[in-house]
Amino acid sequence: MISLEYGSSLLEIAVPVQTEIAGMQHAPAPLIGADVIPHALRHPYNSLALVDIAAQKIAAKPQAKAVIVVSDNTRPVPYKGENGLMPHILRALIQGGFRESDILVLIGAGSHRNMLEPEIEEMLGLHASGFQEVSVLNHEYEIDEQLTYLGETRQGSRVMLNRLYMEADLKIVTGLVESHFMAGASGGRKGICPGIVGKETLNIFHGAKFLSSAQAADMVLEGNPLHDESLEIALMAGCDFLVNATIDAEKRLTGVFAGNLQTAHQAAVQKIRSYVMVPLPHRYDIVIIPAGFVGVNHYQTAKAAIEAARAVKQGGQIILVARHTDPDPVGGEGYKTSLKMLQATGRQKFMSMIMAPDWKLIQEQWQVQMWCKVFDVLENEKNLLYCALEIPEKDYEYLPGTPCISMISRDKNDRPEVVMRAMVEKAVEYACRMSDKNHPSILLLKDGPYGIPEVIS
């Protein structure tokens, strides 16, 4: 039996005896946010304390405005409550002289959908913490009136950025630092780009040229074109104070890195590098992986698939287990359009099309490009065994992979966990039958997209 993450619960799955389990090593001990967050804000990296920066801004302009950029709810950032970031950041600003009504929380979701009010309160807990007058807005990357032009990057990107952020007197960026399958690591500069840039800028950042680079990979910053572009844009926009967090596999706080945009982020990346890598003795015939917290829809599960592809043998099989909580369990319209193109043309032609100089980028095609990297390893798209309950049957007509829901019968009264357990066990049985080995090697990557497999030769 193995324990497999499924939403906020665990599934106990019966598997063959040869199944191995691997995960992140030596994660730091969890911390108490109520203790470490105020300390980090008072003793930041290469910066004045947040309260002192706030006081300086108010002294220079008594009606100063502050903006706090936050991630959306696809990221498990510990924001709410006494052990979360938000109450302590707001208190520092108020202590420095800001009024609640002069503070804006800006949801930097890039091209993701707008968050709804109940979702915002669940994520930030502002009202529950007693902050009634702090305003919250979704950044909408396609609305020109929300954007302002900053100039061009060395790569020729026209930088369009959220106008309210640029007009603010005090700019704070928050987020989570974890491995990122495109930009090397999340957090830091990514709160600004892609978080609050416009569609035109996002198109280049997520374009096929950048993503085709071998350096656009987990835990690679040096020479990574996405990191370089994101950092250049963030420095153009400016950031007075960064507040980034790190967490462990159980989503518990393990570090708070505050202060200078670059220095604090570098410290956080160095911290996670010490424990997110998952050493493996070899690649495996079958890799089982949960989609993790981030896997709210099919679009987001590509992040787990990329990690599994680092651990599976060429031509092997991946079993991906997801609980989708997003209102659309597949993803945005651009993502669906791109997947249908992939199905119609095949990988090689799809990649040739999106790499063409005159190609007009489709929003979210970048995630389909990442799926292509996975299928280059699997060789056959059917070698992706997809275990989820929420995707309508009609959508599997264009989704790549083998829908494992077709392997089981279900009763409407069955609990989701019961159905999922049966589905995953059937998927494992199926993968073993389809393998060309009598006893295929099987690996569970228990930390999902958060652990980074590395074969140690």
Side-chain angles (χ1 to χ4, degrees), residues 72-119:
D72 69 4
N73 59 350
T74 64
R75 307 293 187 266
V77 187
Y79 279 125
K80 69 178 182 179
E82 284 305 303
N83 288 315
L85 302 176
M86 191 55 61
H88 301 285
I89 294 172
L90 292 173
R91 287 176 194 148
L93 295 184
I94 293 168
Q95 185 181 349
F98 278 85
R99 299 177 301 180
E100 282 191 33
S101 57
D102 289 327
I103 301 172
L104 167 68
V105 175
L106 182 63
I107 301 174
S111 62
H112 299 174
R113 68 169 178 84
N114 285 354
M115 288 183 63
L116 306 175
E117 286 189 16
E119 294 175 317

Side-chain angles (χ1 to χ4, degrees), residues 40 111-112 122 142 149 159 173 188 200 225 369 392-393 396 407 419:
S111 62
H112 299 174
E122 173 62 25
E142 292 185 290
Y149 175 65
V159 181
V173 176
E200 184 177 358
Q369 184 176 355
E393 185 175 345
Y396 282 111
M407 298 178 182
V419 180

Side-chain angles (χ1 to χ4, degrees), residues 8-83:
S8 59
S9 61
L10 292 174
L11 299 177
E12 297 296 326
I13 307 295
V15 294
V17 293
Q18 70 265 30
T19 302
E20 298 179 31
I21 300 173
M24 295 187 287
Q25 306 294 310
H26 310 300
L31 304 173
I32 299 174
D35 295 334
V36 298
I37 297 170
H39 182 272
L41 301 183
R42 290 193 304 267
H43 304 281
Y45 289 87
N46 194 27
S47 170
L48 293 175
L50 180 56
V51 66
D52 294 332
I53 295 175
Q56 286 186 355
K57 297 290 186 180
I58 292 295
K61 182 181 177 181
Q63 301 303 316
K65 305 291 185 182
V67 63
I68 306 168
V69 178
V70 299
S71 302
D72 69 4
N73 59 350
T74 64
R75 307 293 187 266
V77 187
Y79 279 125
K80 69 178 182 179
E82 284 305 303
N83 288 315

